[in-house]
Amino acid sequence: MATILRPSMFMLLSTFTLALNGLLSKLLTVHFSDAILVMLRLLIPALVMLLLAMASHWVIPNQAAWRAFTLRAIFIASCQSCFMLALSHLSLIEAVVLFSTGPLFIPLLERFFYKTKISWLVMPTLIVMIIGVAMQNLTAQGIIWRWELLIGLAAGVFNGCSQVALFKASKINLPVLVINGWCFAIAALLVLPVMLIFTNQYEYQQSMQLLSNIEQGIPLLLLFLGLSTASTQFFRSKAYRLVDSNSELAPLIYTNLIFAMVFQLLFFDTSMSLMQILGTGLIVLATLLNTFAPHYFKRIKVQKGII
């Protein structure tokens, strides 16, 4: 019991800070452009984690570690860019639900990268998820495709890639803050050219004014954004280091949806159509089936074997 309790607590802290991160990002979308906010969302946590690492126990990564960091940084940069675009146009809960589809793609990604076996449940759950996304586009006038839903789904795919890369990177014999600090720093460097291309001079000037305006509390929100992101990565890496398989902690990943729903009700007055609610519900159902159904069938098989 004590063996699984500690990693479970770390994972719950990770999902809470992840939902908090989504809330802070949603609040900041009205002040910054998407490109600048993605850069801040990557750069500030990188600085926080690397400074804490320097203050505690600094370790220089080896060549193999740099390769793992760069791979995960590519997925982080892609995931955060898609998530921020989706968050700017969708409600908090819609964006978080699509972001949370990452585990649905993990079996396919592990098959592609590590040649692992795929459960027969993967395709049915993916079909349910696709139906859910399609239902979110249904209106009284028919199907009106919203590109932001596809962007949010892409965030889920890259989130799955990042989780697979994180599980492998967390096994490297380096402090968690060093691993995640360098991953986010490299991701920020990858996003920098995109920000320079898609941000005009007015947006730069406005951003600098906001960063220096303490009265509006924007610098404080950004500080909390950086701390929450660093905390999410720290707690999740600690949780993964204490278990042998991703699947042991998979059920707890979806507590992020509960926290996000609470934040949605507390801080935003947005309404969703019946089709949007049903579509979101189907996506959540698909993610839950992907996690819990294999354990259920395994237990039934064991009971039949005993009988």
Side-chain angles (χ1 to χ4, degrees):
M1 181 68 180
T3 305
I4 194 63
L5 180 61
R6 193 176 174 207
S8 297
M9 290 302 298
F10 280 130
M11 182 56 76
L12 285 173
L13 288 170
S14 169
T15 57
F16 175 77
T17 53
L18 179 61
L20 180 62
N21 189 283
L23 170 64
L24 294 172
S25 298
K26 181 67 174 176
L27 294 173
L28 288 167
T29 54
V30 299
H31 299 288
F32 296 96
S33 68
D34 293 331
I36 291 177
L37 192 52
V38 170
M39 170 58 71
L40 293 173
R41 189 178 164 91
L42 294 171
L43 182 61
I44 295 175
L47 294 175
V48 170
M49 288 185 279
L50 290 177
L51 288 174
L52 290 174
M54 290 178 65
S56 56
H57 183 60
W58 182 258
V59 179
I60 301 298
N62 56 31
Q63 186 175 357
W66 282 119
R67 287 197 294 270
F69 294 170
T70 302
L71 178 63
R72 184 166 184 248
I74 293 171
F75 295 143
I76 289 175
S78 303
C79 175
Q80 294 300 322
S81 299
C82 292
F83 180 62
M84 289 311 307
L85 281 172
L87 200 60
S88 297
H89 299 87
L90 298 173
S91 66
L92 175 62
I93 189 61
E94 281 182 306
V96 170
V97 165
L98 291 170
F99 176 83
S100 300
T101 58
L104 286 174
F105 302 101
I106 287 178
L108 296 177
L109 295 169
E110 289 181 337
R111 172 65 179 174
F112 179 79
F113 287 110
Y114 308 116
K115 308 303 179 184
T116 58
K117 292 183 179 179
I118 297 179
S119 169
W120 65 271
L121 279 167
V122 172
M123 292 311 297
T125 53
L126 284 174
I127 291 172
V128 172
M129 180 202 66
I130 292 171
I131 294 173
V133 174
M135 288 182 66
Q136 288 183 313
N137 292 279
L138 289 174
T139 65
Q141 291 75 34
I143 297 180
I144 300 178
W145 290 101
R146 293 189 291 163
W147 63 267
E148 54 266 28
L149 291 173
L150 298 179
I151 296 295
L153 196 59
V157 174
F158 289 120
N159 180 30
C161 295
S162 178
Q163 292 302 314
V164 172
L166 173 60
F167 183 70
K168 296 297 180 181
S170 65
K171 301 301 181 182
I172 297 174
N173 189 24
L174 286 173
V176 172
L177 290 173
V178 173
I179 293 174
N180 290 298
W182 281 117
C183 286
F184 271 72
I186 297 170
L189 288 176
L190 294 174
V191 169
L192 180 60
V194 179
M195 185 195 74
L196 294 175
I197 293 172
F198 289 99
T199 305
N200 56 45
Q201 185 176 1
Y202 172 75
E203 289 173 333
Y204 279 124
Q205 293 174 345
Q206 186 182 36
S207 298
M208 293 305 298
Q209 291 176 355
L210 288 170
L211 289 173
S212 61
N213 192 341
I214 301 177
E215 294 180 358
Q216 292 187 11
I218 302 299
L220 188 61
L221 283 178
L222 288 170
L223 177 61
F224 284 143
L225 179 67
L227 290 173
S228 64
T229 304
S231 300
T232 298
Q233 301 303 318
F234 175 78
F235 290 133
R236 186 155 298 190
S237 294
K238 290 287 287 185
Y240 282 145
R241 281 190 168 185
L242 296 173
V243 296
D244 297 322
S245 173
N246 243 340
S247 60
E248 294 181 49
L249 296 172
L252 295 176
I253 293 176
Y254 303 112
T255 55
N256 171 44
L257 302 178
I258 299 174
F259 295 132
M261 177 60 76
V262 172
F263 290 147
Q264 174 81 35
L265 296 174
L266 289 177
F267 294 97
F268 302 101
D269 185 23
T270 55
S271 59
M272 296 172 63
S273 67
L274 178 60
M275 285 295 109
Q276 288 176 321
I277 294 172
L278 291 176
T280 301
L282 277 180
I283 297 172
V284 174
L285 176 62
T287 57
L288 293 177
L289 286 174
N290 180 68
T291 300
F292 293 107
H295 299 286
Y296 173 77
F297 288 120
K298 185 177 180 180
R299 186 172 60 183
I300 294 297
K301 187 176 181 180
V302 170
Q303 289 176 350
K304 287 183 177 180
I306 295 174
I307 296 173

